[in-house]
Structures are given as structure tokens and as C-alpha cells.
Amino acid sequence: MTETPIDLDKHRGMAAQKATDIRRVIADVEANAKLLRDKQGVVEIEILSAPATSWSEAVAKARYVLNLYAAGLAPTDTHHRDLVAAVLADLTRLSVEDS
């Protein structure tokens, strides 16, 4: 038995290699999506666990919720996307003015 692994992909056709690459990418994306969902759950539990103690914390929470809402909007829902963008711009402007 040899110590070096054998690259089996070299012995397969291009179509099979591409199919394997696609499966690997999909598996990576799914693993990353699960990790992101887990992190999102932690953030949301933290947001719910205690009230904001400052305006900057309240703004950070509002930004998070608005971005979450905007992510669920249909791409064609430009009216609500514009509303979210306007509110986020207001939050940014007012945060800078308070600094």
C-alpha cells in the first residue's frame, strides 16, 4: 500500500469531474447556509434577550430587522425596498449627527 493518495478524478471523464465539482460546491454552500442560520439564531436570541441600553444599540437592532425584512421582499417590490432604504439612510444620518 502506498502513502500517497490516488487522485481518482484524473481517471474520469470531464462531465463526471464537473458533476463532482458541482456536488462539492453545493455541499459547501449548504454547510455555509446552516452555519449562517445558526449564527443568525444566536444574534436574534441576543437581540431578544435584553432591551437596548443606548440609541446606537437600538439603531443596530433596527438595522438588523430592516435588513432581514428587506431580504424577504420580492425583487419587484421596489416601493417597500425604497422605504427600507430611506429609513436606513435616516438612521445613518441621525447616528452621525448624534456622534
Side-chain angles (χ1 to χ4, degrees):
M1 187 171 261
T2 65
E3 294 293 320
T4 47
I6 299 171
D7 185 6
L8 297 176
D9 283 342
K10 290 181 183 177
H11 301 286
R12 299 178 346 162
M14 282 303 289
Q17 288 180 33
K18 286 186 181 213
T20 299
D21 290 342
I22 290 170
R23 283 193 303 276
R24 287 177 182 154
V25 168
I26 289 171
D28 286 345
V29 167
E30 288 172 349
N32 288 336
K34 183 184 180 328
L35 181 62
L36 287 174
R37 281 191 305 273
D38 291 346
K39 285 183 179 183
Q40 181 178 353
V42 169
V43 167
E44 290 174 1
I45 288 169
E46 192 172 315
I47 287 173
L48 288 170
S49 67
T53 58
S54 67
W55 278 108
S56 62
E57 284 183 22
V59 167
K61 288 181 175 188
R63 282 181 201 279
Y64 176 82
V65 172
L66 285 170
N67 283 321
L68 198 61
Y69 170 73
L73 292 174
T76 56
D77 191 354
T78 57
H79 177 71
H80 287 121
R81 289 185 179 281
D82 290 345
L83 284 171
V84 169
V87 171
L88 289 172
D90 286 344
L91 291 173
T92 300
R93 181 179 47 80
L94 292 172
S95 294
V96 171
E97 289 176 6
D98 285 346
S99 296

